[in-house]
Amino acid sequence: MDVQGNKLGSSFGRFSVADLNTVEWWSVERLLVVGLVGIVTLFMFSQLFGGRKRNLPLGPRGLPIIGNIHQLRNDTMHITFMQMAEKYGPIMYLKLGSRGVVVASTAETAHEFVKVQDLVWAGRQTSMAHDILTNYKMDIAGAPYGPYWRHLRKICAQELFTSKSLESFRFPRAQEFNQMVKSIMDDVQEGKIVQLNLKLNHLAFNNLTRMMLNKRLFGLDVSAQEEALNFKEILFKLLKLSSTIVVGDFIPWLKWLSIVTGYRRYMKTLKRDIDSMLQEFLELKKSGKNMQEENDGGPRRQDFVDVLLTQPTENGTGHLSDTSIRCVILDMLLAGTDTSSNSVEWGIAALLRYPHCLKKLQAELDEVVGKDKTVTESDIPKLPYLNAFMKEVFRLYPPAPLGISHECMQDTTLQGYEFVAGTRLYLNIYAIHRDPKWWENPLEFDPERFIKNPDISMKGNYFHFIPFGVGRRQCPGISLAVLFVQLGLARLVQGFELSLPDGQDPTTLDMTAKYGVTMPRKTPLKIICKPRLPKHLYYDTN
Ligand code: HEM
């Protein structure tokens, strides 16, 4: 499948997209039926021999063994949690199989969990899919809290995502945005409707691979396209699978089902394929051989892999292993591509849906940048409406609506409730961003709220606005993501008059979302672009 979910027709190893559907068929509801065998016996045992009842928050009543799994649909989990919280309160307790899950749905409760008790809740609970994907937690997102994770975060903070490092990629970044604009112009000239999410997804992906590998994967020539599609197709499947609920993750004694259904083998095949592609990049880098690196005419800059190859291990002996490097690269591609591209797509959809915002943003760009030069990163600090608009997009359409769940690392008491080590925590970012206590007319799309309160930042000091999470585990890619989203919106709005095809009324534009780990639009955006700058500005660039 491509990023749209269309079949690409290829398969990997012995599995195909059809197998993927089979795996899902087996992995969710129907496997639960199998899981019900033995329910009564185990339930009676737990009732007879269970220990003292802990003081737990209220939550929906679940079934024995499976808990509340049957009440959660993978594609609307953040909304289901929000509705449940209206009934059970801002700290709500559920069971997914044998695992306890607590959901925090307000800024105040998020503050309690990840500020007051930050260290206690800084663990991660991973799935079987994630473990296979990351050689058992050797990435950043899934690594347990401890020296290895702290070491990787230190490398992020001191080497990879410093302003100096981000600045050093300014030129290749601009090149990638130019490529996207050119490719939209090609569509315009052929009279085509622009399928925006595809363009943005290639852009986000290339932007990351340029930084990590000094390589554009979605190139312009066909062979490069195939390589990129292969790579992206595997990544897409991995992302989808790692976010699918698998019964064995919650009911440990049903783990064997993942083996008999072929799910585990399928994950391993995908992992093997992606590892061999990434290892090939690493070997070429290590050998110093030309790996078709992008020559952009500027000085040779250190990419992420160059940096990672020189880093010591957490205890200072030797260098980071190839496995660690592959896992970090994979982590960032998975965490940073769809989140970033979905945000720009939501932004453009909001501009079409609310034309007064589009007018304001265009006016700001015309006044500050003008029409005889292309907007660049150095213009961004002079564009307050753009910044406020982006924040409003993150508020109503948070790209990771439930963040990544945290794990309680030791038994603890919070607001009188008793949680045991191993409890999973979800911050319902989606619900927090719509809380009427903090946001006036919360469902209204209104960037002005951030003009009136420009200090509300996303860095983690305002618990009612946390699109990148908060606390120790907060997203390390925040500065890069913000830069990407602002530049993406600015380039599209400055460069084109945007409208919907077939005379579609923008006020009827569907703004519903689909839940994934990231939150894509339910209906991918298709638009008509009409150039609004002098022609040479679309082509006079690299
Ligand atoms: C609009 C874009 C993005 C959004 C909204 C976003 C949001 C998030 C959120 C909510 C988390 C979970 C935080 C928590 O556990 O409390 C996270 C974690 C993470 N993000 Fe992002 N992210 C974005 C882009 C990126 C980019 C561009 C990268 C890197 C290239 C990245 C890398 C990561 C990593 C490695 C983690 C795991 C951190 C850890 O466990 O220590 N993200 N992100």
Side-chain angles (χ1 to χ4, degrees):
M1 277 189 196
D2 67 9
V3 287
Q4 304 301 300
N6 302 320
K7 283 189 183 184
L8 290 171
S10 72
S11 64
F12 292 91
R14 297 179 48 216
F15 297 92
S16 67
V17 171
D19 298 310
L20 178 61
N21 294 333
T22 315
V23 168
E24 281 178 352
W25 187 91
W26 269 103
S27 21
V28 199
E29 284 100 351
R30 290 185 174 87
L31 290 186
L32 294 176
V33 177
V34 183
L36 289 175
V37 178
I39 282 175
V40 180
T41 325
L42 282 171
F43 182 61
M44 283 171 65
F45 262 89
S46 73
Q47 294 297 303
L48 281 173
F49 302 112
R52 174 184 78 86
K53 281 238 179 303
R54 282 177 290 128
N55 183 27
L56 287 168
L58 291 178
R61 184 182 282 271
L63 293 174
I65 307 294
I66 63 168
N68 303 89
I69 294 183
H70 62 296
Q71 295 163 336
L72 300 176
R73 278 175 53 91
N74 225 15
D75 61 347
T76 55
M77 225 155 96
H78 53 296
I79 297 175
T80 314
F81 278 158
M82 187 166 78
Q83 288 159 351
M84 286 174 169
E86 276 162 24
K87 186 165 174 199
Y88 298 105
I91 301 184
M92 174 176 78
Y93 188 80
L94 303 91
K95 279 232 146 160
L96 296 184
S98 55
R99 307 242 163 125
V101 173
V102 57
V103 185
S105 306
T106 58
E108 294 79 1
T109 53
H111 180 269
E112 289 284 308
F113 281 101
V114 285
K115 177 78 179 177
V116 181
Q117 293 204 358
D118 189 15
L119 186 56
V120 175
W121 294 89
R124 285 277 197 235
Q125 206 171 75
T126 55
S127 60
M128 186 201 64
H130 191 102
D131 286 350
I132 293 175
L133 193 63
T134 61
N135 295 73
Y136 294 87
K137 312 181 210 307
M138 292 192 69
D139 62 331
I140 304 173
Y145 180 82
Y148 178 73
W149 172 82
R150 275 200 303 272
H151 183 60
L152 293 182
R153 288 294 303 233
K154 195 166 139 206
I155 296 174
C156 286
Q158 295 183 358
E159 305 283 343
L160 305 180
F161 294 107
T162 59
S163 2
K164 192 169 158 223
S165 162
L166 291 186
E167 179 60 31
S168 75
F169 292 103
R170 184 189 276 235
F171 191 65
R173 206 160 33 243
Q175 281 188 319
E176 293 312 320
F177 279 90
N178 291 341
Q179 287 296 341
M180 177 192 68
V181 167
K182 270 188 203 167
S183 124
I184 292 180
M185 280 302 275
D186 291 345
D187 284 0
V188 170
Q189 257 141 28
E190 288 172 37
K192 282 190 190 161
I193 291 171
V194 178
Q195 198 156 340
L196 195 62
N197 67 340
L198 208 57
K199 308 267 181 218
L200 291 169
N201 208 266
H202 288 190
L203 167 69
F205 194 66
N206 274 341
N207 185 41
L208 284 176
T209 57
R210 288 291 294 273
M211 292 179 79
M212 293 196 266
L213 306 160
N214 201 17
K215 191 167 165 59
R216 171 183 294 144
L217 270 180
F218 279 100
L220 300 176
D221 61 282
V222 177
S223 68
Q225 288 280 12
E226 267 174 26
E227 187 185 19
L229 278 176
N230 259 358
F231 195 79
K232 187 76 217 290
E233 187 181 2
I234 304 178
L235 266 185
F236 178 80
K237 287 180 182 175
L238 286 173
L239 185 64
K240 194 165 161 52
L241 283 178
S242 52
S243 60
T244 303
I245 290 181
V246 175
V247 175
D249 284 333
F250 298 100
I251 308 174
W253 57 270
L254 286 179
K255 269 197 174 137
W256 56 271
L257 283 169
S258 305
I259 299 171
V260 298
T261 55
Y263 176 83
R264 199 183 160 85
R265 195 153 49 103
Y266 181 66
M267 275 305 293
K268 286 196 160 176
T269 308
L270 292 179
K271 167 69 173 158
R272 195 196 54 213
D273 288 348
I274 201 100
D275 264 356
S276 69
M277 287 171 121
L278 284 173
Q279 190 59 34
E280 212 174 295
F281 292 140
L282 287 192
E283 294 306 331
L284 281 164
K285 279 248 169 230
K286 285 197 267 189
S287 68
K289 282 191 202 138
N290 177 7
M291 53 173 283
Q292 291 173 315
E293 289 188 350
E294 298 301 325
N295 179 3
D296 54 34
R300 170 80 174 81
R301 63 187 67 75
Q302 285 228 309
D303 58 43
F304 283 16
V305 170
D306 290 328
V307 174
L308 290 168
L309 282 168
T310 62
Q311 295 302 310
T313 58
E314 69 273 25
N315 47 25
T317 53
H319 287 119
L320 274 189
S321 69
D322 287 0
T323 310
S324 291
I325 298 177
R326 286 199 310 267
C327 288
V328 170
I329 297 294
L330 202 51
D331 218 19
M332 290 185 181
L333 286 174
L334 289 173
T337 307
D338 291 1
T339 43
S340 306
S341 62
N342 288 345
S343 306
V344 182
E345 193 192 2
W346 276 115
I348 297 298
L351 287 167
L352 289 163
R353 177 73 184 72
Y354 308 104
H356 64 283
C357 298
L358 179 56
K359 269 199 192 130
K360 270 201 153 174
L361 187 50
Q362 258 174 0
E364 182 177 77
L365 283 159
D366 290 349
E367 194 189 317
V368 176
V369 186
K371 283 186 168 180
D372 48 11
K373 88 176 234 323
T374 306
V375 57
T376 63
E377 286 179 21
S378 31
D379 297 313
I380 285 176
K382 295 173 261 167
L383 300 165
Y385 190 76
L386 173 68
N387 191 34
F389 177 83
M390 175 197 63
K391 286 181 180 172
E392 185 65 347
V393 172
F394 281 145
R395 184 184 72 83
L396 272 182
Y397 310 105
L402 290 175
I404 305 176
S405 60
H406 292 214
E407 187 187 51
C408 181
M409 298 195 298
Q410 64 190 61
D411 293 358
T412 186
T413 303
L414 187 144
Q415 289 197 353
Y417 299 123
E418 298 163 288
F419 300 104
V420 290
T423 304
R424 180 184 283 231
L425 165 71
Y426 282 107
L427 296 186
N428 194 346
I429 298 174
Y430 184 87
I432 291 170
H433 286 186
R434 288 163 185 246
D435 184 349
K437 179 168 175 205
W438 289 94
W439 305 100
E440 209 180 318
N441 301 323
L443 301 185
E444 207 172 278
F445 188 88
D446 179 18
E448 301 295 331
R449 63 178 91 237
F450 289 105
I451 297 278
K452 285 182 211 143
N453 298 294
D455 293 342
I456 301 179
S457 83
M458 295 164 286
K459 302 260 164 166
N461 302 328
Y462 296 83
F463 283 78
H464 58 297
F465 187 47
I466 51 169
F468 293 90
V470 61
R472 282 160 213 255
R473 286 280 187 172
Q474 192 186 40
C475 177
I478 180 165
S479 310
L480 172 64
V482 166
L483 200 54
F484 179 91
V485 175
Q486 287 184 324
L487 199 56
L489 290 169
R491 287 295 301 264
L492 288 166
V493 171
Q494 189 207 22
F496 302 97
E497 294 294 349
L498 308 164
S499 59
L500 292 170
D502 308 322
Q504 200 188 323
D505 175 4
T507 56
T508 63
L509 184 63
D510 181 14
M511 297 296 277
T512 41
K514 207 166 76 171
Y515 176 75
V517 177
T518 62
M519 194 177 78
R521 286 175 51 76
K522 197 166 181 183
T523 334
L525 192 62
K526 292 182 182 158
I527 51 170
I528 300 198
C529 296
K530 213 168 104 200
R532 64 189 292 274
L533 298 177
K535 203 167 175 189
H536 71 273
L537 288 181
Y538 298 94
Y539 294 105
D540 271 6
T541 43
N542 286 301

